Amino acid sequence: MEILPQSAFALLRKQLSQWYRCARRPLPWRLVPGVYATVVSEIMAQQTRIATMLPYYENWMRRFPDFEALAAADEAEVLRHWEGLGYYSRARNLHRLSKAYVALAEKPRTSQEWESLPGIGPYTAAAIASIAFGHPSAVVDGNVVRVLARLMGEEREFASNGEAVKFFRPPADELLDRENPGAHNQAMMELGALLCLPKKPRCAECPVAAFCKSAGKPEAEALPRIVRRVVEKMEVNRVLHLENGAILLHRIAADAKRLAGQYELPEPKLLGLQPREKPLAVRTRSITHHRIVERIYRHDGPFPVKWTKQPGLALVPLEKLESLTLSGPHRRWLGEILGRTRQN
DNA sequence: AAATCGGGGCG
DNA sequence: CGCCCAGATTT
């Protein structure tokens, strides 16, 4: 896998590491590093922008400062701290991981050892082993795929993100700075996050532009070429019903595939209602390849069918909302809608 | 190999 | 509305 002439590798690594030392963001897991901080930050960052997960990270570390604290916590409280971040299996797996970790006499160190723990795949295992233990395992995430595709001028079309990750693993391994793998891996990702942007890359500021086949060219923006899934649109109606300082909520079944055990505003069909003309509020959210428009209708009663017969429906006093895990952005919605309703 | 997870922010 | 983010797991 010929990326560059051998003589160029050492200089590229040096340019990259010098840039990284100055340009790296002062992220909390860099300021207060450690094995636990690395694990939590890497799992929270999966498929999630750093800016999005940052407040969750701070809150999480206050409540669960180490593996022991997390292992001792209830799953309900763990999920409550993940509420709104999405991909909730990450939180369950991190909880399981902590319980397994504290029970281990020999703690995992290598990438291979970490990958046997729940929620740890190839990327996260390599990240933990390199950053927290200095082991020479190269990471390949979305940033690294983009940086390498442009560096190498790789124009082939990949059928999926996974295929691209597989393709760029050998060159990532070859390029890895084995003397300083943690900083090198983070530098590659930081380059993708700060300069080698998906659109309008800032090649003029790039420390490795001299080695890059796409630097300064308009073609850079088109790399990597990955076939993306079509976005599916969905529409959902929901009912807001308030009664004596309580709100009607639907608890999603514990064995449901998605959002198990979480609370949401009930859909009209659960209550035998038809959505009326004018929604109280309209909210849009998205997850992976879904884009969901949700219309929230106010209903003061009465109900055509006795809803108390429906499983999972319950009137929850507003002051008890704090301890429940609400689905996705529901807590934010309720804050907005109830705040407005109160004024009316 | 492909689908799923039903989150969010940006241009 | 399209794109993509420090991906992993299930099918």
Side-chain angles (χ1 to χ4, degrees):
Chain A
M1 192 71 62
E2 186 84 8
I3 317 178
L4 291 167
Q6 274 302 324
S7 56
F9 278 83
L11 187 54
L12 192 161
R13 293 183 190 116
K14 187 178 163 194
Q15 297 287 92
L16 182 62
S17 79
Q18 284 182 356
W19 169 81
Y20 177 66
R21 266 198 297 280
C22 301
R24 69 175 205 163
R25 293 166 288 180
L27 300 173
W29 50 92
R30 291 175 179 162
L31 301 178
V32 186
V35 176
Y36 180 71
T38 306
V39 172
V40 173
S41 63
E42 289 299 343
I43 290 179
M44 270 193 182
Q46 289 168 4
Q47 289 293 281
T48 307
R49 290 169 191 280
I50 299 301
T52 302
M53 51 86 67
L54 217 39
Y56 286 84
Y57 179 85
E58 306 273 21
N59 192 40
W60 186 276
M61 295 302 273
R62 272 195 297 275
R63 173 57 188 89
F64 312 115
D66 48 38
F67 286 111
E68 288 74 17
L70 181 52
D74 290 338
E75 182 172 281
E77 194 185 2
V78 170
L79 286 171
R80 174 70 183 82
H81 280 73
W82 205 274
E83 179 192 290
L85 200 49
Y87 304 115
Y88 298 91
S89 61
R90 292 184 295 172
R92 291 200 178 83
N93 285 334
L94 180 52
H95 191 208
R96 287 172 51 205
L97 183 153
S98 293
K99 291 182 177 181
Y101 184 91
V102 300
L104 282 175
E106 298 283 328
K107 306 303 185 193
R109 300 178 65 83
T110 66
S111 172
Q112 196 176 9
E113 288 163 358
W114 276 99
E115 202 169 334
S116 67
L117 290 169
I120 307 292
Y123 164 79
T124 310
I128 295 169
S130 63
I131 296 170
F133 298 96
H135 286 212
S137 44
V139 299
V140 184
D141 72 331
N143 288 306
V144 174
V145 165
R146 190 168 59 253
V147 168
L148 289 179
R150 291 171 180 177
L151 203 62
M152 298 164 65
E154 180 54 65
E155 295 191 25
R156 83 179 60 190
E157 184 172 81
F158 299 100
S160 68
N161 199 61
E163 192 178 291
V165 166
K166 196 186 300 180
F167 178 87
F168 287 107
R169 191 173 308 287
D173 280 334
E174 199 173 357
L175 186 57
L176 178 66
D177 181 350
R178 303 179 71 85
E179 300 300 311
N180 213 341
H184 174 90
N185 279 334
Q186 292 184 82
M188 290 287 285
M189 295 189 282
E190 200 79 341
L191 191 62
L194 298 182
L195 298 182
C196 198
L197 303 171
K199 288 172 186 171
K200 299 193 177 178
R202 301 163 66 168
C203 301
E205 301 166 58
C206 180
V208 299
F211 307 97
C212 180
K213 289 197 174 170
S214 314
K217 297 182 183 171
E219 302 94 270
E221 193 165 312
L223 299 179
R225 295 180 56 197
I226 301 172
V227 178
R228 305 293 175 187
R229 285 194 65 181
V230 295
V231 174
E232 214 170 303
K233 296 170 198 170
M234 311 177 70
E235 298 196 2
V236 179
N237 294 316
R238 300 194 182 280
V239 173
L240 176 70
H241 172 72
L242 296 168
E243 186 177 321
N244 300 329
I247 183 170
L248 183 58
L249 292 179
H250 173 232
R251 184 178 196 273
I252 302 167
D255 60 353
K257 286 184 180 176
R258 306 185 287 256
L259 307 174
Q262 299 190 26
Y263 289 80
E264 62 183 3
L265 291 176
E267 295 186 43
K269 60 189 174 190
L270 280 178
L271 304 163
L273 293 171
Q274 298 282 355
R276 289 176 303 174
E277 280 190 13
K278 192 167 150 293
L280 179 63
V282 180
R283 293 291 183 274
T284 302
R285 59 166 151 166
S286 41
I287 178 77
T288 59
H289 62 287
H290 293 290
R291 184 164 293 254
I292 309 160
V293 179
E294 306 192 74
R295 292 187 172 78
I296 301 168
Y297 296 87
R298 179 155 188 173
H299 183 82
D300 295 317
F303 293 96
V305 299
K306 194 111 171 91
W307 58 261
T308 49
K309 302 285 186 189
Q310 286 284 341
L313 286 175
L315 270 174
V316 177
L318 290 174
E319 62 266 24
K320 289 192 73 175
L321 230 46
E322 190 66 29
S323 61
L324 304 180
T325 299
L326 305 185
S327 149
H330 267 70
R331 191 174 305 276
R332 194 179 67 232
W333 291 354
L334 291 179
E336 293 165 2
I337 297 168
L338 293 180
R340 208 177 60 196
T341 308
R342 234 172 253 134
Q343 291 171 7
N344 291 351

